[in-house]
């Protein structure tokens, strides 16, 4: 049982490039989330999903897109990376959205030059 | 307590002492609260949670206290160890998105 895994662990992009971050969970959770974490700040929700085939916007969705084609996977895409998207990205999943803890992946460090 | 700026509040304690980390939550409708520990370079890790029908909950070396009157949450760590050094942040289930709202964290430093 690996829990929540994320790939890649680290990536450097040039402004304007695109990339996809992959999150996978093996706990059969319905809910999955993408957060970004910036220095001195807490986690900010980018997008989330309440089940396979569904996605919704969080607090800071601009510049990102997501897809949940399979229940166990949640993809975060950056179509045209900007330096302001330099951050650490965390994926999380949970059984129940507001009544149970979320389980987090190890994070992806993204640097946009 | 929680920080609103770029610098996390820091709590420095001697090894072996007890630590108390505080959190002021914002939404009076929240009825579920969690404390997370985040070590450098890692993802947040669940420590303990509490529901609004309780004032106190104990785990192994950790205790969470909830004061709904003043919307205050605290995490007590007994006999602090070097491995407790991390950023600790609280989360509540109030808010607009279908999930949790996270505080900005407190950096716990253990002095030998």
């Amino acid at each position: 049982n690996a829990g929540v895994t994320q790939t890649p662990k680290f990536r450097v992009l040039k402004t304007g490039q695109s990339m996809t971050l992959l999150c996978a969970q093996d706990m059969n959770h319905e809910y999955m989330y993408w957060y970004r974490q910036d220095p001195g700040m807490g986690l900010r929700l980018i997008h989330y999903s309440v089940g396979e085939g569904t996605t919704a916007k969080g607090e800071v969705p601009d510049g990102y897109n997501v897809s949940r084609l399979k229940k166990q996977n949640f993809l975060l895409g950056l179509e045209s990376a900007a330096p302001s998207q330099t951050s650490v990205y965390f994926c999380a999943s949970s059984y129940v959205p507001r009544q149970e803890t979320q389980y987090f992946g190890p994070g992806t460090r993204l640097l946009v030059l | 307590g929680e920080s609103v700026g770029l610098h996390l509040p820091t709590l420095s304690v001697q090894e072996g002492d007890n630590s108390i980390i505080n959190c002021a939550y914002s939404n009076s409708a929240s009825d579920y609260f969690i404390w997370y520990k985040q070590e450098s370079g890692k993802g947040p890790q669940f420590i303990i949670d509490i529901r609004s029908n309780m004032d106190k909950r104990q785990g192994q070396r950790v205790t969470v206290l909830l004061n709904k009157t003043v919307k205050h949450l605290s995490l007590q760590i007994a006999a602090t160890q070097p491995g407790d050094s991390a950023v600790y942040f609280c989360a509540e289930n109030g808010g607009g998105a279908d999930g949790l709202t996270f505080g900005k964290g407190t950096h716990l430093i253990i002095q030998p």
Side-chain angles (χ1 to χ4, degrees):
Chain A
N1 189 336
V4 180
T5 58
Q6 293 181 232
T7 53
K9 289 184 170 51
F10 178 69
R11 184 76 182 269
V12 179
L13 289 180
K14 294 181 180 178
T15 296
Q17 287 185 318
S18 64
M19 78 163 294
T20 300
L21 283 68
L22 172 64
C23 175
Q25 53 95 4
D26 61 4
M27 296 174 282
N28 202 34
H29 287 166
E30 288 291 338
Y31 287 77
M32 296 187 74
Y33 312 84
W34 274 108
Y35 294 91
R36 62 177 290 172
Q37 187 176 42
D38 300 297
M41 299 187 71
L43 294 159
R44 292 186 291 169
L45 183 64
I46 304 171
H47 286 280
Y48 64 102
S49 169
V50 303
E52 182 178 323
T54 71
T55 62
K57 293 181 179 180
E59 180 186 354
V60 289
D62 293 342
Y64 305 94
N65 57 76
V66 288
S67 63
R68 183 99 180 267
L69 299 179
K70 294 182 178 181
K71 185 177 182 179
Q72 64 269 31
N73 296 336
F74 195 27
L75 278 63
L76 177 71
L78 286 74
E79 291 186 349
S80 180
S84 61
Q85 293 179 303
T86 292
S87 188
V88 182
Y89 292 86
F90 289 101
C91 176
S93 69
S94 70
Y95 282 117
V96 179
R98 291 176 181 257
Q99 295 299 327
E100 189 187 273
T101 186
Q102 295 178 9
Y103 297 85
F104 285 85
T108 294
R109 294 183 177 275
L110 177 64
L111 174 62
V112 183
L113 302 175
Chain B
E2 298 296 320
S3 170
V4 295
L6 294 177
H7 299 288
L8 292 176
T10 299
L11 175 65
S12 183
V13 300
Q14 293 287 329
E15 183 178 346
D17 287 352
N18 297 334
S19 302
I20 300 176
I21 302 170
N22 298 303
C23 175
Y25 65 91
S26 58
N27 196 323
S28 56
S30 294
D31 62 2
Y32 177 62
F33 305 88
I34 308 171
W35 278 101
Y36 287 93
K37 172 185 180 182
Q38 187 176 21
E39 296 175 281
S40 180
K42 296 184 179 180
Q45 178 184 6
F46 170 83
I47 303 173
I48 191 168
D49 57 6
I50 188 168
R51 304 193 187 277
S52 60
N53 60 351
M54 302 175 69
D55 297 321
K56 178 180 179 179
R57 191 169 187 215
Q58 289 184 291
Q60 187 176 12
R61 278 202 310 120
V62 295
T63 301
V64 55
L65 298 177
L66 175 63
N67 185 331
K68 295 180 289 293
T69 302
V70 295
K71 292 191 288 186
H72 183 268
L73 195 66
S74 68
L75 176 70
Q76 300 178 3
I77 305 173
T80 310
Q81 303 169 357
D84 295 327
S85 180
V87 174
Y88 292 81
F89 51 92
C90 61
E92 59 178 303
N93 68 346
D98 199 5
L100 302 171
T101 302
F102 293 84
K104 294 179 175 62
T106 296
H107 189 187
L108 178 64
I109 297 173
I110 313 304
Q111 303 283 359

